[in-house]
Amino acid sequence: MKKFLALAMAACMAFSLVACGGGASSAASTSEAASTEATAEAASGSKTDVAFVTDVGNIDDQSFNQYTWQGVQDFCAANGLNANYYRPTEDSDAARLEQMDNAVNDGAKAIVVAGYLFGTSVAEAQAKYPDVQFLALDVAATDLSADGSVAPAANTALITYKEEQAGYLAGYAAVTDGYKELGFLGGMAVPAVIRYGYGFVQGAEAAAQELGVTDVNIKYWYSGGFAATDEVKNKMDGWYSEGTEVVFACGGPVCQSCDAAAQANGGKMIGVDVDQSGQFDTVITSAMKALANSVNVALTDAMNNDWKFSEAYSAKQTVLGAAEDCVGLPMETSKFTNFTQEQYDALYTAIVDGTLVVDDSFDAEVHPATSNVTVDYQS
């Protein structure tokens, strides 16, 4: 089985960050190592071959920006191309589009973005620049327009993930490791978050059935937003003080409130999207999306097709999961005492070969069936 998580961790540990130069409206420098290598080898003569436009925050956010940018750097360094990142001046569609304009003016053949907030700006940019390839991670076709009237164009590849598989792995691992009092904290009840949660419940149920235990409990709640708030911390304080051992915190900054409560009560947390063990000491594992690997897979497709996405990615939303080595747990940094690498590998292989199918339903009102696990869906 592929070991993308080990590679991702090694790459990010070696990642040398540099502050933006020349202001947010100009191309920022890459990390010194990757930039030097790519620039020295680049044959195009362009200032930028592949651009990354950041989401809210910067490239050292230990989340979507950092891991996606690392993927862009690695791809460019391996292929003799110039990589640059562009940081919007504010959180707005106009500011995001402005940086796409700057990237195109610098010669970008491809522009990479990450996060659903880019939907509207990608919809506009794909029509404005038909010869530039747009790779949007974690952006669904429904994010391009509020009324669904805009579809991805031939020069756009949308990538989303099988969050339910990553959630399943986390839930199975937690119960197998001995945790019986669990929690799921979701931000907004959007499809990706729901899939994480429902996968988590399914994984916990499967492990409980295999162990023959019926005393596993999950408290389940959507906070209604992704921000870290006192309300969320107070809610998590209540859970931990009532005996919850570990909470799967799924929703961006909302995990900060969960971590604060976990620290105050001696609890544990499961991270989301990227390996959050370096960010929070309370994290025992993380349900991850392989952002850097996704960048490499899709950009290699475009580059090998004369900088045009092939039918595999062009004008569509491609959903990646375990079969593409694009979701998983970072076993190298996970803090398990009973759940082993061998168990993880067997479970992962079963998902890849189809022996194990995780339900990907995301109807907030229809919950996964459970018999050994009791789930308390809270409002």
Side-chain angles (χ1 to χ4, degrees), residues 2 18 24-25 52 61 85 87 114 118 162-163 185 224 226 231 275 290 296 302 311 315 318 353-354:
K2 298 177 183 177
V18 197
S25 62
F52 172 54
D61 63 356
Y85 75 87
R87 186 180 180 187
F118 277 95
K162 296 182 179 179
E163 291 92 355
L185 165 63
F226 296 116
E231 178 191 6
D275 184 358
N296 181 66
E311 292 183 0
T318 303
D353 65 22

Side-chain angles (χ1 to χ4, degrees), residues 82-99:
N82 288 332
N84 279 302
Y85 75 87
Y86 298 72
R87 186 180 180 187
T89 55
E90 62 182 18
D91 179 13
S92 71
D93 292 332
R96 285 183 273 272
L97 186 60
E98 177 187 27
Q99 294 313 313

Side-chain angles (χ1 to χ4, degrees), residues 123-165:
E124 186 171 347
Q126 67 178 8
K128 187 176 182 180
Y129 301 113
D131 295 327
V132 176
Q133 305 304 295
F134 293 89
L135 172 61
L137 306 185
D138 223 40
V139 177
T142 52
D143 295 324
L144 299 186
S145 61
D147 61 2
S149 61
V150 180
N155 59 325
T156 297
L158 307 179
I159 287 181
T160 54
Y161 298 89
K162 296 182 179 179
E163 291 92 355
E164 70 280 0
Q165 294 180 348

